């Protein structure tokens, strides 16, 4: 059996202050396989984003182990982030925005530029290179933000509520776009959301977290791997999965 690309084993996290300690995560076990799209849902404030921070190496667990590609995350720079807002810089054109991460990481800029051009062309954004973010729709901006991360060639993409700032119709299209890009590029992704529909549409498996101290209540297999998000939403199975995950969430405090 191959080693998971991401592994959390017995992970707990406790914050300490002078007058008390707060348990945030309690004995979390999660494995994410290479090429998998893995979703995390849970009550507001339960610790979903904290899990991403542990996987990226921003935080260290109080107990247990976190491994990415067999190493501690802070020793293995293989992850990229996609956030709620696209965070495109308004004074830089699209190509310049896409190259920002490469500049910060001091990558070979001519090579990164070639990669950026290939990705922008591949995903129908090639004619936006000289445009500025204000000229693009919300969905196009999110695709640019994703391409900015892909230029860094991450093995793992961490998505933290990446569609929450978009209107409903745009979200549906962008979920389809992001799914297509992730599958095409073979990226392993961990997707945090409060939206059960999005999780089922996008992911191969979905972990349901409890309220604090956060535990893994259940991991649900989304057995529609050969279908796009748009196709999944039309399946009767989609409704059953929604009800199953919602039921687990509703009893997440037990």
């Amino acid at each position: 059996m191959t080693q998971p690309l991401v592994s959390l084993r017995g992970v707990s996290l406790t914050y300490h202050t002078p007058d008390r300690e707060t348990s945030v995560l309690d004995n979390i076990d999660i494995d994410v396989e290479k090429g998998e799209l893995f979703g995390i849902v849970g009550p507001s404030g339960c610790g979903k984003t904290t899990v991403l921070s542990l996987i990226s190496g921003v935080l260290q667990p109080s107990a247990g182990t976190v491994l990415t590609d067999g190493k501690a995350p802070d020793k293995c720079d293989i992850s990229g982030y996609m956030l709620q807002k696209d965070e495109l810089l308004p004074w830089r054109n699209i190509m310049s925005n896409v190259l920002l991460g490469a500049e910060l990481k001091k990558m070979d800029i001519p090579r990164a530029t070639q990669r950026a051009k290939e990705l922008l062309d591949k995903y129908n954004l090639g004619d936006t290179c000289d445009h500025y973010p204000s000229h693009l729709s919300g969905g196009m901006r999110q695709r640019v933000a994703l391409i900015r991360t892909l230029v860094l060639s991450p093995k793992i993409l961490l998505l933290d509520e990446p569609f929450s700032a978009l209107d409903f119709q745009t979200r549906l299209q962008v979920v389809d776009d992001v799914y297509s890009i992730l599958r095409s590029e073979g990226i392993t992704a961990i997707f945090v959301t409060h939206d059960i529909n999005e999780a089922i549409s996008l992911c191969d498996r979905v972990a349901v977290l409890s309220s604090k101290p956060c535990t893994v209540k259940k991991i649900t297999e989304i057995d529609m791997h050969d279908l796009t998000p748009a196709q999944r939403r039309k399946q009767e199975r989609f409704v059953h999965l929604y009800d199953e995950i919602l039921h687990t969430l509703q009893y997440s405090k037990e």
Side-chain angles (χ1 to χ4, degrees), residues 100-229:
L100 180 60
E103 293 172 11
L104 294 174
K105 286 183 171 288
K106 301 186 184 304
M107 295 172 62
D108 182 319
I109 296 303
R111 181 176 297 179
T113 301
Q114 181 60 37
R115 173 67 171 156
K117 287 179 179 177
E118 292 171 357
L119 288 168
L120 288 166
D121 286 341
K122 183 176 181 180
Y123 299 113
N124 301 314
L125 290 165
D127 60 354
T128 70
C129 292
D130 296 326
H131 295 185
Y132 287 84
S134 61
H135 300 155
L136 273 58
S137 68
M140 294 172 73
R141 289 172 63 116
Q142 281 297 79
R143 278 190 285 151
V144 169
L146 176 56
I147 289 170
R148 177 182 57 197
T149 301
L150 295 181
V151 166
L152 306 179
S153 299
K155 290 186 178 180
I156 305 164
L157 183 61
L158 307 176
L159 301 100
D160 190 0
E161 302 274 11
F163 315 122
S164 60
L166 302 174
D167 65 79
F168 179 73
Q169 290 298 329
T170 302
R171 286 170 74 164
L172 292 179
Q173 183 58 56
V174 174
V175 167
D176 278 21
D177 291 343
V178 168
Y179 178 88
S180 175
I181 292 170
L182 293 176
R183 288 299 196 209
S184 177
E185 299 301 320
I187 300 292
T188 304
I190 301 174
F191 173 54
V192 159
T193 181
H194 67 276
D195 190 318
I196 299 173
N197 287 307
E198 285 182 355
I200 298 171
S201 297
L202 192 65
C203 299
D204 300 316
R205 291 186 297 149
V206 177
V208 179
L209 305 187
S210 72
S211 54
K212 291 180 182 176
C214 172
T215 62
V216 177
K217 297 293 292 184
K218 186 176 183 179
I219 297 179
T220 298
E221 181 81 23
I222 309 300
D223 47 0
M224 296 187 286
H225 305 273
D226 55 339
L227 301 178
T228 67

